[in-house]
């Protein structure tokens, strides 16, 4: 144990020492917190229950609506888009200043996003054929594939906004916010077709993305604008939930008439504004914390595996759940219906196993997912963070 701690300390010191002094570590910390929020949120509010030898999806929020505040903590996508807009706008401005063409800049960034997806789709394609041949019920397979593939919508939206950064970098966030409000009024006030709500998938996440771009231009150099975002977003969200008929949960709840997330509603966007305001306000204390080598090393290493963690965390949860069926079909907190506080306590005990399974996925796929970036020049505008992790070549935590 002492030797392991000593090795970790040496690694942390090396990562800290080899990080450029100009790097804003608070940006990486915010991204890491956003990723952890998504992962823990999915693990806590998504349950696979066993019935008739198969698996089906449910949520503790269905039977315990008083858990809605949990979604306020773990629904952190707005922070991810805030950081994404900040990094994309800054990176494109840097590339343009150095005469790097848009095609090169966009190709590198989008390549880093989509290369890891190939591994997920390949594995699950093969696994799906094997499960069908092995007699797995189509409903169970549909449940599993939906959990794996549904988070990819986020990646598609993020990629689309990244690709159009030159067009939206200077867009005032008020304009996409107006679009979201108009769509909601049309949907809920005038009975428009349901499909119109999907306009908000782009418009809704464009709000924090353009806030991030404004941040890159120095719009939040003072605390006052961030305080306005936090206070205004909080009050607007409270009003929409209390008097506007919007659900309190900021994630989808199976069987609910309205989802704040699929597609995003005005309540979800106003909640995101509050989150962005809070994120911008905690940047200074985060930056101070990141000066500690061990804290920074944890954040840097998580950022190195960001796409792996995001793409494989649902697979890790499902792997543990499925293997648990070999022992029993009613393991508390794993296969049982989430309808009591006891389920929550049991679920928390499973989280370390989910994390262990995710670590296995990281070992299996991270090298492949990072392979292309090792063979070519670093991503435009992305300084390296550490050299020689595990004695290897330069590995970077890019602001991408």
């Amino acid at each position: 144990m002492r030797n392991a701690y000593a090795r970790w300390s040496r690694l942390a010191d090396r990562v800290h020492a080899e990080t450029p002094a100009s790097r804003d570590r608070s940006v990486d910390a915010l991204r890491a917190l956003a990723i952890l929020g998504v992962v823990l949120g999915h693990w806590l509010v998504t349950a696979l229950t066993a019935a008739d030898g198969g698996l089906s999806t449910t949520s503790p929020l269905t039977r315990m609506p008083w858990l809605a505040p949990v979604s306020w903590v773990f629904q952190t996508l707005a922070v991810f888009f805030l950081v994404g807009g900040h990094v994309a706008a800054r990176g494109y401005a840097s590339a343009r200043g150095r005469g790097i063409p848009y095609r090169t800049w966009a190709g590198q960034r989008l390549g880093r996003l989509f290369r890891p997806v190939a591994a997920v789709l390949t594995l699950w394609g093969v696994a799906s054929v094997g499960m069908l041949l092995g007699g797995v019920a189509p409903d169970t397979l549909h449940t599993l594939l939906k959990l794996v593939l549904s988070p990819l919508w986020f990646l598609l939206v993020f990629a689309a906004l990244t690709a159009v950064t030159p067009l939206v970098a200077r867009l005032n966030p008020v304009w996409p916010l107006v679009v979201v409000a108009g769509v909601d009024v049309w949907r809920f006030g005038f009975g428009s077709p349901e499909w119109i709500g999907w306009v908000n998938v782009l418009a809704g996440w464009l709000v924090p993305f353009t806030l991030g771009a404004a941040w890159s231009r120095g719009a939040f150099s003072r605390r006052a604008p961030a305080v306005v975002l936090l206070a205004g977003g909080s009050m607007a969200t409270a009003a929409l939930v209390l008097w506007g008929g919007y659900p309190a949960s900021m994630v989808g709840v199976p069987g609910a008439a309205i989802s704040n997330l699929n597609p995003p509603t005005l309540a979800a966007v106003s909640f995101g504004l509050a989150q962005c305001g809070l994120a911008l306000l905690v940047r200074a204390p985060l930056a101070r914390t990141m000066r500690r080598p061990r804290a920074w090393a944890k954040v840097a290493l998580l950022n190195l595996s960001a796409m792996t963690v995001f793409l494989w965390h649902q697979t890790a949860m499902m792997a543990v759940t499925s293997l648990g069926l070999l022992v029993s079909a009613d393991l508390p907190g794993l296969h049982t219906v989430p309808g009591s506080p006891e389920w929550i306590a049991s679920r928390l005990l499973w989280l370390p196993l989910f994390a262990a399974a995710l670590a296995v996925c990281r070992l299996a796929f991270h090298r492949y997912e990072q392979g292309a970036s090792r063979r070519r020049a670093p991503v435009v505008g992305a300084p390296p963070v550490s050299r020689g992790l595990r004695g290897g070549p330069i590995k970077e935590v890019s602001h991408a």
Side-chain angles (χ1 to χ4, degrees):
M1 180 66 70
R2 183 174 297 177
N3 288 338
Y5 180 78
R7 286 196 299 270
W8 162 247
S9 295
R10 288 194 296 271
L11 174 62
D13 289 339
R14 189 161 70 241
V15 172
H16 171 72
E18 295 175 1
T19 300
S22 59
R23 190 178 188 86
D24 186 349
R25 300 184 185 191
S26 68
V27 175
D28 298 277
L30 287 173
R31 184 198 286 111
L33 289 173
I35 292 170
L36 288 176
V38 170
V39 171
L40 292 175
H42 282 158
W43 285 353
L44 289 172
V45 303
T46 303
L48 287 168
T49 57
D52 300 324
L55 294 171
S56 59
T57 307
T58 186
S59 170
L61 296 172
T62 303
R63 293 173 175 82
M64 296 180 284
W66 49 270
L67 284 176
V70 172
S71 69
W72 306 345
V73 176
F74 295 111
Q75 206 289 75
T76 52
L77 287 176
V79 176
F80 204 106
F81 279 96
L82 172 77
V83 172
H86 170 76
V87 170
R90 191 184 64 178
Y92 178 68
S94 174
R96 188 177 180 184
R98 287 180 288 161
I100 296 173
Y102 165 78
R103 179 179 297 180
T104 301
W105 173 83
Q108 288 185 354
R109 289 190 177 273
L110 297 181
R112 286 174 60 86
L113 288 175
F114 286 118
R115 177 179 171 84
V117 174
V120 175
L121 296 180
T122 299
L123 181 138
W124 273 98
V126 173
S128 298
V129 173
M131 284 188 281
L132 286 175
L133 294 176
V136 173
D139 287 347
T140 295
L141 181 58
H142 177 266
T143 295
L144 298 178
L145 288 177
K146 185 176 180 180
L147 285 177
V148 171
L149 299 178
S150 59
L152 296 184
W153 70 261
F154 157 82
L155 188 61
L156 293 173
V157 175
F158 190 83
L161 295 183
T162 299
V164 297
T165 295
L167 298 178
V168 302
R170 294 189 173 274
L171 181 67
N172 191 311
V174 169
W175 295 114
L177 180 61
V178 168
V179 172
V180 172
V183 167
D184 271 20
V185 169
W186 195 6
R187 283 177 67 196
F188 304 128
F190 297 95
S192 71
E194 284 297 314
W195 62 262
I196 197 65
W198 294 101
V199 172
N200 283 352
V201 172
L202 284 175
W205 299 119
L206 187 57
V207 174
F209 193 87
T210 51
L211 281 173
W215 170 19
S216 73
R217 301 192 300 272
F220 296 98
S221 56
R222 297 180 297 109
R223 290 175 58 87
V227 171
V228 171
L229 280 179
L230 175 58
S234 298
M235 290 188 291
T237 304
L240 289 168
V241 170
L242 293 174
W243 301 298
Y246 289 87
S249 172
M250 290 299 145
V251 298
V253 179
I258 299 174
S259 167
N260 273 324
L261 196 57
N262 296 310
T265 63
L266 183 59
V269 174
S270 63
F271 176 77
L273 291 175
Q275 278 189 322
C276 291
L278 179 60
L280 292 165
L281 287 172
V282 301
R283 282 178 54 229
L286 276 178
R288 289 193 294 270
T289 301
M290 290 301 103
R291 293 174 192 154
R292 303 171 186 170
R294 285 145 194 81
W296 167 238
K298 292 173 185 177
V299 167
L301 292 173
L302 177 57
N303 274 271
L304 277 170
S305 304
M307 285 298 296
T308 308
V309 169
F310 175 76
L311 290 171
W312 291 99
H313 73 278
Q314 294 282 54
T315 298
M317 179 190 72
M318 289 184 284
V320 173
T321 304
S322 299
L323 289 174
L325 290 173
L326 300 176
V327 178
S328 171
D330 56 358
L331 290 173
L334 195 64
H335 306 127
T336 53
V337 175
S340 67
E342 290 75 18
W343 184 92
I344 301 171
S346 299
R347 187 65 164 194
L348 292 174
L349 296 177
W350 287 105
L351 296 187
L353 280 180
F354 294 166
L358 181 55
V360 172
C361 293
R362 189 228 179 246
L363 288 174
F365 299 104
H366 180 68
R367 183 175 295 274
Y368 160 78
E369 293 171 357
Q370 293 294 312
S373 63
R374 289 200 193 104
R375 291 190 295 269
R376 62 177 182 245
V379 172
V380 173
V385 162
S386 65
R387 182 188 304 268
L389 294 180
R390 294 182 296 181
I394 292 176
K395 295 184 181 181
E396 67 185 38
V397 178
S398 95
H399 274 163

